């Protein structure tokens, strides 16, 4: 770390009048993302309130060769927002607010530091829907969701964040502001430049504003927790419901018995609706326009699945409370982390046809290497995503777990990151999912847009 260069950058930015906090006044918030790994205080925290200020800050840092880490709500799970030695933190928390909600165009325009939940609630008040949702909704920033192309619970129907972004504004490393604030569904006028900044984790530019697509609010929600005898049966259930219910299936969450039973056993408030344990559970949700008619179709589809033996049992939510309880089981992983720390969390994706073989091989290799390992599996299998929560409660075993998991993911032609991003923590495993030619092209793009390498250096690209 070049202390003289850092101090020079801080002095220059202070002289320009940019809000900047250094030393003990920073607190710990900016030291680490949600992974809680490799915590390190940045040299200083910058808190711009406009795109122009972001531009001025980046231009100054670029001129001086000063590296910058971009930070949003600090809810990331790949270490991408955690500072590295010698970096200034560019916090987007003051770049906050909704600029416009256009009910006719069904779009919402917002600044990058706006929490996802704020956008969801604004859409709901207008009778519309922003169908991007996951557990960190109250604290994550929409700019971070775009930068990581975040997934969530409804990808099976509405797609990833990328599918909802119509336009955005971003600032390049040299301070150039790229404004592509498009509000149209169709626009083939040249390169779709916003794609350079969606899912690239702040390595090519800093998202400062966005235009998101909204959808009509759905009037009905039908939810059920289903018990199945095997993973192949769960896949049959998914396809049967998609066939019977058309495009209304909005969530299909699978939980293997070890995960389900541990969540139930850990919580005094949660109970299984079933009298016995089953190998796999599926949390299914469908949304539509008519609660009574949709509920009848939903129950009929599940009844047929039960009669045909696709499912062994099912509990249909009869109230909002029932639905919340079912989702609390699915989302209960946060409640068990303290007991299993340290743990390895794998977020992988692959063809559904590969999943059973992958899980069998992973269990075999894991038990051979670490006989006392606990492996808890759940995921959004309808969109190819598996989450593996693995622990021996020993820090020294984590690398072994990751090495086995990501190597097997590559062997099954999968992705080492389904929705959490690469950041720092998975950078060394990216070659399992990307070819040498793809990695070389990523480096060419990085060199072209950030030749001095100041934006989120050491992230994503090996």
């Amino acid at each position: 770390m070049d202390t003289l260069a850092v101090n020079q950058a801080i002095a220059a930015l202070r002289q320009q009048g940019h809000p900047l906090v250094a030393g003990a006044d920073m607190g710990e918030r900016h030291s680490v993302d949600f992974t809680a790994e490799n915590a390190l205080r940045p040299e200083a925290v910058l808190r711009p309130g406009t795109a122009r200020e972001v531009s001025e800050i980046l231009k100054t840092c670029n001129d001086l060769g000063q590296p910058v880490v971009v930070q949003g709500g600090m809810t990331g799970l790949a270490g991408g927002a955690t500072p590295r030695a010698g970096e200034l933190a560019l916090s987007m928390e003051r770049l906050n607010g909704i600029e416009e909600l256009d009910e006719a165009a069904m779009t919402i325009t917002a600044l990058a530091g706006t929490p996802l939940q704020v956008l969801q609630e604004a859409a709901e008040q207008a009778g519309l829907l922003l169908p991007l949702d996951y557990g960190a909704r109250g604290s994550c920033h929409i700019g971070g969701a775009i930068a990581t192309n975040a997934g969530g619970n409804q990808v099976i129907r509405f797609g990833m964040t990328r599918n909802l972004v119509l336009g955005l504004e971003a600032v390049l490393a040299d301070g150039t502001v790229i404004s592509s604030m498009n509000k149209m569904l169709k626009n083939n006028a040249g390169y779709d430049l916003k794609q350079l900044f969606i899912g690239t984790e702040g390595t090519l530019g800093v998202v400062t504003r966005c235009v998101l697509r909204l959808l009509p609010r759905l009037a009905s929600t039908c939810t059920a927790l289903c018990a199945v005898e095997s993973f192949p049966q769960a896949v049959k259930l998914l396809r049967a419901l998609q066939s019977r219910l058309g495009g209304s299936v909005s969530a299909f969450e699978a939980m293997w018995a070890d995960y389900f039973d541990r969540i139930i056993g850990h919580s005094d408030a949660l109970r299984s609706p079933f009298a016995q344990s089953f190998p796999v559970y599926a949390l299914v949700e469908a949304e539509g326009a008519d609660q009574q008619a949709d509920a009848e179709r939903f129950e009929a589809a599940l009844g047929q699945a039960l009669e045909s033996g696709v499912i062994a049992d099912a509990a249909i939510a009869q109230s909002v409370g029932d639905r919340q309880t079912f989702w609390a089981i699915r989302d209960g992983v946060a409640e068990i982390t303290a007991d299993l720390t340290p743990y390895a969390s794998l977020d992988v994706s692959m063809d559904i046809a590969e999943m059973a073989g992958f899980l069998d091989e992973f269990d075999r290799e894991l038990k051979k290497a670490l006989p006392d390992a606990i492996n808890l599996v759940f995921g959004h299998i309808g969109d190819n995503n598996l989450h593996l929560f693995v622990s021996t409660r020993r820090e020294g075993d984590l690398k072994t777990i990751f090495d086995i998991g990501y190597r097997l993911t590559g062997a099954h032609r999968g992705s080492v990151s389904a929705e959490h991003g690469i950041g720092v923590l998975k950078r060394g495993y990216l070659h399992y999912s990307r070819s040498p030619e793809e990695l070389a092209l990523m480096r060419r793009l990085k060199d072209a847009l950030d030749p001095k390498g100041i934006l989120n250096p050491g992230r994503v690209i090996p």
Side-chain angles (χ1 to χ4, degrees):
M1 179 179 69
D2 188 338
T3 304
L4 182 62
V6 171
N7 290 338
Q8 183 182 11
I10 290 174
L13 292 164
R14 275 185 168 147
Q15 187 174 19
Q16 294 168 8
H18 293 294
L20 184 151
V21 181
D25 293 339
M26 288 187 291
E28 298 301 322
R29 166 175 163 72
H30 298 282
S31 299
V32 68
D33 68 5
F34 196 75
T35 64
E37 295 190 37
N38 307 315
L40 181 71
R41 280 190 178 185
E43 297 299 319
V45 178
L46 291 145
R47 301 173 67 239
T50 66
R52 182 179 62 80
E53 290 178 3
V54 174
S55 172
E56 292 172 354
I57 289 168
L58 290 184
K59 184 180 186 308
T60 298
C61 289
N62 189 65
D63 289 345
L64 297 173
Q66 171 59 49
V68 173
V69 57
V70 187
Q71 296 185 338
M74 303 302 285
T75 61
L77 294 167
T82 299
R84 305 179 82 199
E87 293 180 342
L88 302 181
L90 183 66
S91 173
M92 308 302 285
E93 57 196 342
R94 289 184 60 240
L95 207 64
N96 183 325
I98 296 172
E99 295 185 338
E100 178 192 55
L101 195 155
D102 187 334
E103 295 184 34
M106 290 201 300
T107 63
I108 189 167
T109 302
L111 298 173
T114 310
L116 173 59
Q117 188 170 337
V118 171
L119 300 175
Q120 291 174 328
E121 291 172 352
E124 184 175 6
Q125 289 171 9
L128 297 169
L129 172 70
L130 176 61
L132 175 65
D133 189 44
Y134 41 90
R137 65 186 69 84
S139 49
C140 71
H141 293 179
I142 191 59
I146 292 169
T148 58
N149 189 30
N153 298 327
Q154 296 184 304
V155 171
I156 188 174
R157 181 170 182 180
F158 300 108
M160 303 280 279
T161 300
R162 184 187 308 279
N163 298 67
L164 301 171
V165 179
L166 294 176
L168 57 75
E169 174 185 83
V171 183
L172 303 184
D174 65 0
T176 301
V177 179
I178 303 295
S179 185
S180 296
M181 296 292 284
N182 169 72
K183 291 176 65 174
M184 298 167 287
L185 283 176
K186 285 186 174 181
N187 184 351
N188 278 343
Y191 295 173
D192 189 2
L193 295 176
K194 68 178 182 288
Q195 302 298 342
L196 290 170
F197 311 106
I198 302 174
T200 52
E201 301 185 45
T203 60
L204 301 182
V206 180
V207 175
T208 51
R209 286 198 300 160
C210 63
V211 181
L212 302 177
R213 180 186 182 189
L214 302 178
L215 299 172
R217 185 135 198 100
L218 300 169
S220 77
T221 301
C222 301
T223 308
L225 186 61
C226 303
V228 294
E229 296 290 357
S230 68
F231 174 69
Q233 291 296 91
V235 176
K236 285 185 179 180
L237 173 62
L238 170 61
R239 299 311 177 209
L241 293 178
Q242 288 178 318
S243 177
R244 288 290 302 270
L245 302 176
S248 68
V249 177
S250 56
F252 192 93
E253 302 289 311
M255 297 167 279
W256 275 252
D258 285 350
Y259 175 82
F260 185 91
D261 293 342
R262 184 170 286 267
I263 298 297
I264 294 294
H266 177 82
S267 173
D268 293 332
L270 300 176
R271 296 285 185 273
S272 172
F274 308 113
Q276 66 183 82
S277 182
F278 292 90
V280 182
Y281 301 86
L283 174 56
V284 183
E285 199 152 84
E287 296 175 286
D290 185 320
Q291 185 67 51
Q292 182 174 344
D294 293 337
E296 290 174 359
R297 282 192 292 270
F298 189 70
E299 292 180 20
L302 289 176
Q304 185 181 57
L306 187 62
E307 290 175 9
S308 64
V310 172
I311 59 176
D313 204 350
I316 298 176
Q318 301 298 318
S319 65
V320 172
D322 287 347
R323 178 179 182 268
Q324 291 173 341
T325 297
F326 293 166
W327 277 103
I329 298 172
R330 163 57 182 84
D331 295 336
V333 64
E335 305 300 321
I336 62 173
T337 55
D339 180 53
L340 295 172
T341 300
Y343 58 86
S345 178
L346 288 84
D347 156 52
V348 301
S349 63
M350 63 194 65
D351 184 345
I352 289 179
E354 298 284 336
M355 287 182 176
F358 164 79
L359 290 172
D360 286 345
E361 290 176 37
F362 182 77
D363 276 338
R364 282 198 303 272
E365 291 205 25
L366 184 65
K367 292 301 181 185
K368 184 178 179 180
L370 304 167
D372 61 341
I374 297 167
N375 180 24
L376 309 178
V377 184
F378 59 99
H380 332 278
I381 65 170
D383 54 36
N384 306 102
N385 189 181
L386 287 173
H387 294 288
L388 288 77
F389 188 91
V390 189
S391 176
T392 62
R393 300 185 176 90
R394 296 185 296 270
E395 186 79 29
D397 292 337
L398 297 182
K399 185 177 185 302
T400 298
I401 296 168
F402 286 125
D403 286 350
I404 293 171
Y406 293 136
R407 174 173 51 78
L408 289 176
T409 298
H412 286 268
R413 301 181 299 281
S415 170
V416 297
S417 176
E419 59 182 349
H420 294 165
I422 297 298
V424 172
L425 300 181
K426 285 181 270 191
R427 182 169 167 248
Y429 298 105
L430 186 57
H431 67 280
Y432 286 126
S433 300
R434 293 292 192 179
S435 69
E437 293 78 14
E438 288 176 306
L439 293 173
L441 181 55
M442 290 181 194
R443 294 186 190 102
R444 287 171 64 187
L445 285 169
K446 176 69 171 173
D447 289 344
L449 295 179
D450 182 16
K452 293 187 177 181
I454 69 157
L455 276 179
N456 284 2
R459 279 86 172 173
V460 185
I461 306 170

